[in-house]
PDB file of all heavy atoms in Angstrom:
ATOM      1  N   LEU A   1      17.435   9.967  -8.816  1.00 96.00           N
ATOM      2  CA  LEU A   1      17.262  10.653  -7.534  1.00 96.00           C
ATOM      3  C   LEU A   1      17.353  12.144  -7.799  1.00 96.00           C
ATOM      4  O   LEU A   1      18.425  12.683  -8.071  1.00 96.00           O
ATOM      5  CB  LEU A   1      18.329  10.202  -6.537  1.00 96.00           C
ATOM      6  CG  LEU A   1      18.317  10.872  -5.158  1.00 96.00           C
ATOM      7  CD1 LEU A   1      16.995  10.649  -4.441  1.00 96.00           C
ATOM      8  CD2 LEU A   1      19.484  10.356  -4.323  1.00 96.00           C
ATOM      9  N   ALA A   2      16.209  12.816  -7.761  1.00 95.00           N
ATOM     10  CA  ALA A   2      16.139  14.247  -8.061  1.00 95.00           C
ATOM     11  C   ALA A   2      16.789  15.055  -6.944  1.00 95.00           C
ATOM     12  O   ALA A   2      16.944  14.584  -5.812  1.00 95.00           O
ATOM     13  CB  ALA A   2      14.688  14.675  -8.255  1.00 95.00           C
ATOM     14  N   ASP A   3      17.143  16.285  -7.271  1.00 90.00           N
ATOM     15  CA  ASP A   3      17.796  17.160  -6.306  1.00 90.00           C
ATOM     16  C   ASP A   3      16.936  17.451  -5.085  1.00 90.00           C
ATOM     17  O   ASP A   3      17.448  17.721  -4.006  1.00 90.00           O
ATOM     18  CB  ASP A   3      18.230  18.462  -6.978  1.00 90.00           C
ATOM     19  CG  ASP A   3      19.298  18.216  -8.035  1.00 90.00           C
ATOM     20  OD1 ASP A   3      20.046  17.231  -7.940  1.00 90.00           O
ATOM     21  OD2 ASP A   3      19.375  19.043  -8.964  1.00 90.00           O
ATOM     22  N   ASP A   4      15.604  17.373  -5.234  1.00 92.00           N
ATOM     23  CA  ASP A   4      14.712  17.621  -4.093  1.00 92.00           C
ATOM     24  C   ASP A   4      14.480  16.363  -3.250  1.00 92.00           C
ATOM     25  O   ASP A   4      13.706  16.377  -2.304  1.00 92.00           O
ATOM     26  CB  ASP A   4      13.381  18.215  -4.554  1.00 92.00           C
ATOM     27  CG  ASP A   4      12.549  17.244  -5.383  1.00 92.00           C
ATOM     28  OD1 ASP A   4      12.979  16.089  -5.633  1.00 92.00           O
ATOM     29  OD2 ASP A   4      11.447  17.644  -5.801  1.00 92.00           O
ATOM     30  N   GLY A   5      15.152  15.261  -3.603  1.00 92.00           N
ATOM     31  CA  GLY A   5      15.041  14.014  -2.849  1.00 92.00           C
ATOM     32  C   GLY A   5      14.007  13.050  -3.385  1.00 92.00           C
ATOM     33  O   GLY A   5      13.937  11.905  -2.938  1.00 92.00           O
ATOM     34  N   ALA A   6      13.193  13.484  -4.334  1.00 95.00           N
ATOM     35  CA  ALA A   6      12.193  12.585  -4.921  1.00 95.00           C
ATOM     36  C   ALA A   6      12.890  11.510  -5.750  1.00 95.00           C
ATOM     37  O   ALA A   6      13.884  11.767  -6.423  1.00 95.00           O
ATOM     38  CB  ALA A   6      11.218  13.363  -5.799  1.00 95.00           C
ATOM     39  N   ILE A   7      12.368  10.308  -5.674  1.00 96.00           N
ATOM     40  CA  ILE A   7      12.907   9.173  -6.424  1.00 96.00           C
ATOM     41  C   ILE A   7      11.966   8.888  -7.581  1.00 96.00           C
ATOM     42  O   ILE A   7      10.775   8.653  -7.380  1.00 96.00           O
ATOM     43  CB  ILE A   7      13.047   7.939  -5.523  1.00 96.00           C
ATOM     44  CG1 ILE A   7      14.071   8.215  -4.413  1.00 96.00           C
ATOM     45  CG2 ILE A   7      13.431   6.712  -6.333  1.00 96.00           C
ATOM     46  CD1 ILE A   7      14.150   7.140  -3.361  1.00 96.00           C
ATOM     47  N   TYR A   8      12.507   8.927  -8.797  1.00 98.00           N
ATOM     48  CA  TYR A   8      11.726   8.656 -10.001  1.00 98.00           C
ATOM     49  C   TYR A   8      12.132   7.309 -10.574  1.00 98.00           C
ATOM     50  O   TYR A   8      13.306   7.075 -10.854  1.00 98.00           O
ATOM     51  CB  TYR A   8      11.941   9.749 -11.060  1.00 98.00           C
ATOM     52  CG  TYR A   8      11.243  11.027 -10.715  1.00 98.00           C
ATOM     53  CD1 TYR A   8      11.824  11.948  -9.855  1.00 98.00           C
ATOM     54  CD2 TYR A   8       9.975  11.307 -11.221  1.00 98.00           C
ATOM     55  CE1 TYR A   8      11.173  13.125  -9.517  1.00 98.00           C
ATOM     56  CE2 TYR A   8       9.315  12.480 -10.884  1.00 98.00           C
ATOM     57  CZ  TYR A   8       9.927  13.384 -10.027  1.00 98.00           C
ATOM     58  OH  TYR A   8       9.274  14.538  -9.690  1.00 98.00           O
ATOM     59  N   VAL A   9      11.153   6.454 -10.754  1.00 98.00           N
ATOM     60  CA  VAL A   9      11.371   5.159 -11.380  1.00 98.00           C
ATOM     61  C   VAL A   9      11.265   5.365 -12.889  1.00 98.00           C
ATOM     62  O   VAL A   9      10.238   5.843 -13.376  1.00 98.00           O
ATOM     63  CB  VAL A   9      10.325   4.131 -10.906  1.00 98.00           C
ATOM     64  CG1 VAL A   9      10.508   2.803 -11.611  1.00 98.00           C
ATOM     65  CG2 VAL A   9      10.386   3.973  -9.393  1.00 98.00           C
ATOM     66  N   PRO A  10      12.323   5.034 -13.634  1.00 98.00           N
ATOM     67  CA  PRO A  10      12.248   5.183 -15.087  1.00 98.00           C
ATOM     68  C   PRO A  10      11.470   4.027 -15.713  1.00 98.00           C
ATOM     69  O   PRO A  10      11.728   2.866 -15.419  1.00 98.00           O
ATOM     70  CB  PRO A  10      13.709   5.162 -15.527  1.00 98.00           C
ATOM     71  CG  PRO A  10      14.441   4.474 -14.435  1.00 98.00           C
ATOM     72  CD  PRO A  10      13.643   4.640 -13.182  1.00 98.00           C
ATOM     73  N   ILE A  11      10.483   4.378 -16.524  1.00 98.00           N
ATOM     74  CA  ILE A  11       9.699   3.392 -17.257  1.00 98.00           C
ATOM     75  C   ILE A  11       9.753   3.761 -18.729  1.00 98.00           C
ATOM     76  O   ILE A  11      10.190   4.846 -19.094  1.00 98.00           O
ATOM     77  CB  ILE A  11       8.243   3.323 -16.736  1.00 98.00           C
ATOM     78  CG1 ILE A  11       7.544   4.680 -16.872  1.00 98.00           C
ATOM     79  CG2 ILE A  11       8.213   2.841 -15.290  1.00 98.00           C
ATOM     80  CD1 ILE A  11       6.073   4.681 -16.463  1.00 98.00           C
ATOM     81  N   SER A  12       9.288   2.856 -19.570  1.00 96.00           N
ATOM     82  CA  SER A  12       9.295   3.143 -21.002  1.00 96.00           C
ATOM     83  C   SER A  12       8.022   3.874 -21.388  1.00 96.00           C
ATOM     84  O   SER A  12       7.067   3.953 -20.616  1.00 96.00           O
ATOM     85  CB  SER A  12       9.443   1.850 -21.813  1.00 96.00           C
ATOM     86  OG  SER A  12       8.267   1.074 -21.729  1.00 96.00           O
ATOM     87  N   GLU A  13       8.005   4.377 -22.591  1.00 94.00           N
ATOM     88  CA  GLU A  13       6.821   5.054 -23.112  1.00 94.00           C
ATOM     89  C   GLU A  13       5.797   4.061 -23.655  1.00 94.00           C
ATOM     90  O   GLU A  13       4.709   4.446 -24.031  1.00 94.00           O
ATOM     91  CB  GLU A  13       7.212   6.019 -24.228  1.00 94.00           C
ATOM     92  CG  GLU A  13       8.054   7.181 -23.771  1.00 94.00           C
ATOM     93  CD  GLU A  13       8.346   8.143 -24.895  1.00 94.00           C
ATOM     94  OE1 GLU A  13       9.119   7.781 -25.808  1.00 94.00           O
ATOM     95  OE2 GLU A  13       7.783   9.255 -24.869  1.00 94.00           O
ATOM     96  N   SER A  14       6.162   2.774 -23.703  1.00 93.00           N
ATOM     97  CA  SER A  14       5.280   1.780 -24.318  1.00 93.00           C
ATOM     98  C   SER A  14       4.669   0.848 -23.277  1.00 93.00           C
ATOM     99  O   SER A  14       5.167   0.727 -22.169  1.00 93.00           O
ATOM    100  CB  SER A  14       6.074   0.957 -25.337  1.00 93.00           C
ATOM    101  OG  SER A  14       7.088   0.222 -24.673  1.00 93.00           O
ATOM    102  N   MET A  15       3.584   0.230 -23.662  1.00 92.00           N
ATOM    103  CA  MET A  15       2.952  -0.807 -22.865  1.00 92.00           C
ATOM    104  C   MET A  15       2.859  -2.039 -23.732  1.00 92.00           C
ATOM    105  O   MET A  15       2.354  -1.941 -24.842  1.00 92.00           O
ATOM    106  CB  MET A  15       1.547  -0.400 -22.422  1.00 92.00           C
ATOM    107  CG  MET A  15       1.552   0.518 -21.265  1.00 92.00           C
ATOM    108  SD  MET A  15       2.190  -0.364 -19.855  1.00 92.00           S
ATOM    109  CE  MET A  15       1.641   0.692 -18.563  1.00 92.00           C
ATOM    110  N   PRO A  16       3.332  -3.178 -23.338  1.00 95.00           N
ATOM    111  CA  PRO A  16       3.931  -3.420 -22.041  1.00 95.00           C
ATOM    112  C   PRO A  16       5.261  -2.675 -21.897  1.00 95.00           C
ATOM    113  O   PRO A  16       5.928  -2.372 -22.882  1.00 95.00           O
ATOM    114  CB  PRO A  16       4.126  -4.938 -21.992  1.00 95.00           C
ATOM    115  CG  PRO A  16       4.177  -5.366 -23.416  1.00 95.00           C
ATOM    116  CD  PRO A  16       3.350  -4.378 -24.184  1.00 95.00           C
ATOM    117  N   ASP A  17       5.603  -2.406 -20.653  1.00 95.00           N
ATOM    118  CA  ASP A  17       6.815  -1.660 -20.328  1.00 95.00           C
ATOM    119  C   ASP A  17       8.059  -2.416 -20.782  1.00 95.00           C
ATOM    120  O   ASP A  17       8.100  -3.636 -20.754  1.00 95.00           O
ATOM    121  CB  ASP A  17       6.870  -1.436 -18.815  1.00 95.00           C
ATOM    122  CG  ASP A  17       7.992  -0.503 -18.401  1.00 95.00           C
ATOM    123  OD1 ASP A  17       8.210   0.513 -19.093  1.00 95.00           O
ATOM    124  OD2 ASP A  17       8.643  -0.781 -17.384  1.00 95.00           O
ATOM    125  N   LEU A  18       9.055  -1.657 -21.212  1.00 96.00           N
ATOM    126  CA  LEU A  18      10.354  -2.219 -21.600  1.00 96.00           C
ATOM    127  C   LEU A  18      11.402  -1.719 -20.614  1.00 96.00           C
ATOM    128  O   LEU A  18      11.377  -0.562 -20.195  1.00 96.00           O
ATOM    129  CB  LEU A  18      10.728  -1.774 -23.016  1.00 96.00           C
ATOM    130  CG  LEU A  18       9.753  -2.174 -24.124  1.00 96.00           C
ATOM    131  CD1 LEU A  18      10.123  -1.499 -25.429  1.00 96.00           C
ATOM    132  CD2 LEU A  18       9.736  -3.688 -24.278  1.00 96.00           C
ATOM    133  N   SER A  19      12.344  -2.560 -20.276  1.00 96.00           N
ATOM    134  CA  SER A  19      13.388  -2.208 -19.320  1.00 96.00           C
ATOM    135  C   SER A  19      14.198  -1.006 -19.803  1.00 96.00           C
ATOM    136  O   SER A  19      14.561  -0.908 -20.976  1.00 96.00           O
ATOM    137  CB  SER A  19      14.329  -3.394 -19.107  1.00 96.00           C
ATOM    138  OG  SER A  19      15.417  -3.013 -18.280  1.00 96.00           O
ATOM    139  N   GLN A  20      14.486  -0.110 -18.878  1.00 97.00           N
ATOM    140  CA  GLN A  20      15.318   1.060 -19.172  1.00 97.00           C
ATOM    141  C   GLN A  20      16.753   0.859 -18.672  1.00 97.00           C
ATOM    142  O   GLN A  20      17.591   1.735 -18.779  1.00 97.00           O
ATOM    143  CB  GLN A  20      14.707   2.299 -18.509  1.00 97.00           C
ATOM    144  CG  GLN A  20      13.322   2.631 -19.025  1.00 97.00           C
ATOM    145  CD  GLN A  20      13.338   2.906 -20.512  1.00 97.00           C
ATOM    146  OE1 GLN A  20      13.907   3.882 -20.961  1.00 97.00           O
ATOM    147  NE2 GLN A  20      12.726   2.023 -21.285  1.00 97.00           N
ATOM    148  N   ARG A  21      17.046  -0.319 -18.126  1.00 96.00           N
ATOM    149  CA  ARG A  21      18.345  -0.610 -17.516  1.00 96.00           C
ATOM    150  C   ARG A  21      19.511  -0.387 -18.471  1.00 96.00           C
ATOM    151  O   ARG A  21      20.515   0.207 -18.097  1.00 96.00           O
ATOM    152  CB  ARG A  21      18.351  -2.043 -16.977  1.00 96.00           C
ATOM    153  CG  ARG A  21      19.559  -2.350 -16.144  1.00 96.00           C
ATOM    154  CD  ARG A  21      19.397  -3.698 -15.435  1.00 96.00           C
ATOM    155  NE  ARG A  21      20.464  -3.881 -14.495  1.00 96.00           N
ATOM    156  CZ  ARG A  21      20.532  -3.330 -13.307  1.00 96.00           C
ATOM    157  NH1 ARG A  21      19.559  -2.568 -12.876  1.00 96.00           N
ATOM    158  NH2 ARG A  21      21.555  -3.537 -12.513  1.00 96.00           N
ATOM    159  N   GLU A  22      19.402  -0.848 -19.691  1.00 96.00           N
ATOM    160  CA  GLU A  22      20.497  -0.706 -20.663  1.00 96.00           C
ATOM    161  C   GLU A  22      20.816   0.767 -20.926  1.00 96.00           C
ATOM    162  O   GLU A  22      21.975   1.146 -21.068  1.00 96.00           O
ATOM    163  CB  GLU A  22      20.123  -1.417 -21.967  1.00 96.00           C
ATOM    164  CG  GLU A  22      21.283  -1.536 -22.931  1.00 96.00           C
ATOM    165  CD  GLU A  22      20.919  -2.366 -24.144  1.00 96.00           C
ATOM    166  OE1 GLU A  22      20.317  -3.446 -23.980  1.00 96.00           O
ATOM    167  OE2 GLU A  22      21.245  -1.915 -25.263  1.00 96.00           O
ATOM    168  N   ARG A  23      19.791   1.589 -20.965  1.00 96.00           N
ATOM    169  CA  ARG A  23      19.987   3.035 -21.182  1.00 96.00           C
ATOM    170  C   ARG A  23      20.618   3.702 -19.960  1.00 96.00           C
ATOM    171  O   ARG A  23      21.340   4.684 -20.077  1.00 96.00           O
ATOM    172  CB  ARG A  23      18.654   3.723 -21.463  1.00 96.00           C
ATOM    173  CG  ARG A  23      18.013   3.333 -22.766  1.00 96.00           C
ATOM    174  CD  ARG A  23      16.625   3.918 -22.890  1.00 96.00           C
ATOM    175  NE  ARG A  23      16.662   5.327 -23.288  1.00 96.00           N
ATOM    176  CZ  ARG A  23      15.590   6.077 -23.442  1.00 96.00           C
ATOM    177  NH1 ARG A  23      14.389   5.562 -23.214  1.00 96.00           N
ATOM    178  NH2 ARG A  23      15.685   7.334 -23.813  1.00 96.00           N
ATOM    179  N   LEU A  24      20.305   3.188 -18.757  1.00 98.00           N
ATOM    180  CA  LEU A  24      20.731   3.832 -17.523  1.00 98.00           C
ATOM    181  C   LEU A  24      22.094   3.382 -17.008  1.00 98.00           C
ATOM    182  O   LEU A  24      22.787   4.161 -16.341  1.00 98.00           O
ATOM    183  CB  LEU A  24      19.685   3.608 -16.434  1.00 98.00           C
ATOM    184  CG  LEU A  24      18.332   4.244 -16.706  1.00 98.00           C
ATOM    185  CD1 LEU A  24      17.319   3.786 -15.683  1.00 98.00           C
ATOM    186  CD2 LEU A  24      18.434   5.751 -16.710  1.00 98.00           C
ATOM    187  N   MET A  25      22.500   2.149 -17.268  1.00 97.00           N
ATOM    188  CA  MET A  25      23.762   1.639 -16.707  1.00 97.00           C
ATOM    189  C   MET A  25      24.966   2.541 -16.997  1.00 97.00           C
ATOM    190  O   MET A  25      25.764   2.790 -16.091  1.00 97.00           O
ATOM    191  CB  MET A  25      24.037   0.211 -17.179  1.00 97.00           C
ATOM    192  CG  MET A  25      23.300  -0.853 -16.378  1.00 97.00           C
ATOM    193  SD  MET A  25      23.668  -0.868 -14.598  1.00 97.00           S
ATOM    194  CE  MET A  25      25.358  -1.446 -14.563  1.00 97.00           C
ATOM    195  N   PRO A  26      25.135   3.073 -18.213  1.00 97.00           N
ATOM    196  CA  PRO A  26      26.294   3.950 -18.450  1.00 97.00           C
ATOM    197  C   PRO A  26      26.232   5.262 -17.663  1.00 97.00           C
ATOM    198  O   PRO A  26      27.233   5.969 -17.547  1.00 97.00           O
ATOM    199  CB  PRO A  26      26.235   4.236 -19.955  1.00 97.00           C
ATOM    200  CG  PRO A  26      25.354   3.201 -20.537  1.00 97.00           C
ATOM    201  CD  PRO A  26      24.402   2.803 -19.447  1.00 97.00           C
ATOM    202  N   LEU A  27      25.064   5.588 -17.115  1.00 98.00           N
ATOM    203  CA  LEU A  27      24.886   6.849 -16.393  1.00 98.00           C
ATOM    204  C   LEU A  27      24.919   6.689 -14.873  1.00 98.00           C
ATOM    205  O   LEU A  27      24.789   7.683 -14.152  1.00 98.00           O
ATOM    206  CB  LEU A  27      23.559   7.493 -16.806  1.00 98.00           C
ATOM    207  CG  LEU A  27      23.435   7.881 -18.281  1.00 98.00           C
ATOM    208  CD1 LEU A  27      22.008   8.307 -18.600  1.00 98.00           C
ATOM    209  CD2 LEU A  27      24.421   8.969 -18.624  1.00 98.00           C
ATOM    210  N   VAL A  28      25.086   5.468 -14.363  1.00 97.00           N
ATOM    211  CA  VAL A  28      25.089   5.262 -12.910  1.00 97.00           C
ATOM    212  C   VAL A  28      26.199   6.096 -12.278  1.00 97.00           C
ATOM    213  O   VAL A  28      27.344   6.077 -12.715  1.00 97.00           O
ATOM    214  CB  VAL A  28      25.253   3.768 -12.549  1.00 97.00           C
ATOM    215  CG1 VAL A  28      25.458   3.594 -11.039  1.00 97.00           C
ATOM    216  CG2 VAL A  28      24.048   2.973 -13.016  1.00 97.00           C
ATOM    217  N   GLY A  29      25.827   6.854 -11.259  1.00 96.00           N
ATOM    218  CA  GLY A  29      26.780   7.707 -10.561  1.00 96.00           C
ATOM    219  C   GLY A  29      26.999   9.049 -11.232  1.00 96.00           C
ATOM    220  O   GLY A  29      27.824   9.844 -10.805  1.00 96.00           O
ATOM    221  N   LYS A  30      26.226   9.317 -12.282  1.00 96.00           N
ATOM    222  CA  LYS A  30      26.354  10.575 -13.021  1.00 96.00           C
ATOM    223  C   LYS A  30      25.046  11.347 -12.935  1.00 96.00           C
ATOM    224  O   LYS A  30      23.977  10.786 -12.758  1.00 96.00           O
ATOM    225  CB  LYS A  30      26.696  10.296 -14.483  1.00 96.00           C
ATOM    226  CG  LYS A  30      28.020   9.578 -14.648  1.00 96.00           C
ATOM    227  CD  LYS A  30      28.297   9.252 -16.086  1.00 96.00           C
ATOM    228  CE  LYS A  30      29.624   8.511 -16.192  1.00 96.00           C
ATOM    229  NZ  LYS A  30      29.872   8.050 -17.542  1.00 96.00           N
ATOM    230  N   ARG A  31      25.163  12.643 -13.105  1.00 96.00           N
ATOM    231  CA  ARG A  31      23.971  13.491 -13.175  1.00 96.00           C
ATOM    232  C   ARG A  31      23.369  13.363 -14.560  1.00 96.00           C
ATOM    233  O   ARG A  31      24.080  13.312 -15.551  1.00 96.00           O
ATOM    234  CB  ARG A  31      24.325  14.936 -12.869  1.00 96.00           C
ATOM    235  CG  ARG A  31      24.736  15.112 -11.407  1.00 96.00           C
ATOM    236  CD  ARG A  31      24.876  16.563 -11.015  1.00 96.00           C
ATOM    237  NE  ARG A  31      23.679  17.355 -11.263  1.00 96.00           N
ATOM    238  CZ  ARG A  31      22.571  17.312 -10.516  1.00 96.00           C
ATOM    239  NH1 ARG A  31      22.508  16.501  -9.494  1.00 96.00           N
ATOM    240  NH2 ARG A  31      21.543  18.085 -10.801  1.00 96.00           N
ATOM    241  N   ALA A  32      22.060  13.314 -14.604  1.00 97.00           N
ATOM    242  CA  ALA A  32      21.382  13.152 -15.882  1.00 97.00           C
ATOM    243  C   ALA A  32      20.129  14.004 -15.912  1.00 97.00           C
ATOM    244  O   ALA A  32      19.597  14.414 -14.885  1.00 97.00           O
ATOM    245  CB  ALA A  32      21.020  11.689 -16.103  1.00 97.00           C
ATOM    246  N   SER A  33      19.681  14.263 -17.123  1.00 97.00           N
ATOM    247  CA  SER A  33      18.430  14.959 -17.358  1.00 97.00           C
ATOM    248  C   SER A  33      17.550  14.024 -18.177  1.00 97.00           C
ATOM    249  O   SER A  33      17.951  13.582 -19.257  1.00 97.00           O
ATOM    250  CB  SER A  33      18.689  16.262 -18.121  1.00 97.00           C
ATOM    251  OG  SER A  33      17.467  16.922 -18.395  1.00 97.00           O
ATOM    252  N   ALA A  34      16.388  13.713 -17.645  1.00 98.00           N
ATOM    253  CA  ALA A  34      15.447  12.837 -18.336  1.00 98.00           C
ATOM    254  C   ALA A  34      14.200  13.639 -18.687  1.00 98.00           C
ATOM    255  O   ALA A  34      13.648  14.345 -17.845  1.00 98.00           O
ATOM    256  CB  ALA A  34      15.081  11.646 -17.460  1.00 98.00           C
ATOM    257  N   THR A  35      13.789  13.527 -19.929  1.00 98.00           N
ATOM    258  CA  THR A  35      12.590  14.195 -20.414  1.00 98.00           C
ATOM    259  C   THR A  35      11.582  13.128 -20.808  1.00 98.00           C
ATOM    260  O   THR A  35      11.949  12.105 -21.387  1.00 98.00           O
ATOM    261  CB  THR A  35      12.919  15.087 -21.624  1.00 98.00           C
ATOM    262  OG1 THR A  35      13.911  16.029 -21.232  1.00 98.00           O
ATOM    263  CG2 THR A  35      11.702  15.831 -22.122  1.00 98.00           C
ATOM    264  N   GLY A  36      10.328  13.370 -20.482  1.00 98.00           N
ATOM    265  CA  GLY A  36       9.282  12.412 -20.819  1.00 98.00           C
ATOM    266  C   GLY A  36       7.992  12.776 -20.141  1.00 98.00           C
ATOM    267  O   GLY A  36       7.700  13.952 -19.921  1.00 98.00           O
ATOM    268  N   THR A  37       7.237  11.757 -19.778  1.00 98.00           N
ATOM    269  CA  THR A  37       5.956  11.958 -19.110  1.00 98.00           C
ATOM    270  C   THR A  37       6.099  11.564 -17.651  1.00 98.00           C
ATOM    271  O   THR A  37       6.535  10.462 -17.341  1.00 98.00           O
ATOM    272  CB  THR A  37       4.857  11.120 -19.790  1.00 98.00           C
ATOM    273  OG1 THR A  37       4.827  11.444 -21.180  1.00 98.00           O
ATOM    274  CG2 THR A  37       3.501  11.402 -19.177  1.00 98.00           C
ATOM    275  N   LEU A  38       5.728  12.494 -16.755  1.00 98.00           N
ATOM    276  CA  LEU A  38       5.826  12.271 -15.319  1.00 98.00           C
ATOM    277  C   LEU A  38       4.510  11.726 -14.785  1.00 98.00           C
ATOM    278  O   LEU A  38       3.435  12.195 -15.167  1.00 98.00           O
ATOM    279  CB  LEU A  38       6.149  13.579 -14.600  1.00 98.00           C
ATOM    280  CG  LEU A  38       7.397  14.324 -15.074  1.00 98.00           C
ATOM    281  CD1 LEU A  38       7.502  15.667 -14.360  1.00 98.00           C
ATOM    282  CD2 LEU A  38       8.633  13.498 -14.840  1.00 98.00           C
ATOM    283  N   TYR A  39       4.622  10.727 -13.890  1.00 97.00           N
ATOM    284  CA  TYR A  39       3.455  10.134 -13.254  1.00 97.00           C
ATOM    285  C   TYR A  39       3.670  10.113 -11.748  1.00 97.00           C
ATOM    286  O   TYR A  39       4.798   9.980 -11.271  1.00 97.00           O
ATOM    287  CB  TYR A  39       3.250   8.681 -13.719  1.00 97.00           C
ATOM    288  CG  TYR A  39       2.929   8.554 -15.174  1.00 97.00           C
ATOM    289  CD1 TYR A  39       3.938   8.337 -16.107  1.00 97.00           C
ATOM    290  CD2 TYR A  39       1.619   8.642 -15.623  1.00 97.00           C
ATOM    291  CE1 TYR A  39       3.648   8.215 -17.453  1.00 97.00           C
ATOM    292  CE2 TYR A  39       1.319   8.520 -16.973  1.00 97.00           C
ATOM    293  CZ  TYR A  39       2.341   8.308 -17.876  1.00 97.00           C
ATOM    294  OH  TYR A  39       2.044   8.185 -19.206  1.00 97.00           O
TER     295      TYR A  39
END
């Protein structure tokens, strides 16, 4: 949830898509910076 209110769904860089849940669970409730490709 970006500061401007936009909601970004995290996806993987590969196709077929791989779950990002394992990477995100330790960050729930925390501020994070994600770098990648925006769609």
Side-chain angles (χ1 to χ4, degrees):
L1 178 59
D3 295 333
D4 67 0
I7 296 172
Y8 286 83
V9 177
I11 59 176
S12 70
E13 294 183 290
S14 64
M15 281 294 197
D17 188 41
L18 300 171
S19 174
Q20 298 300 293
R21 189 170 189 79
E22 190 174 314
R23 293 173 79 181
L24 296 171
M25 278 301 291
L27 298 171
V28 172
K30 298 177 181 174
R31 292 189 56 75
S33 178
T35 302
T37 305
L38 305 174
Y39 295 93

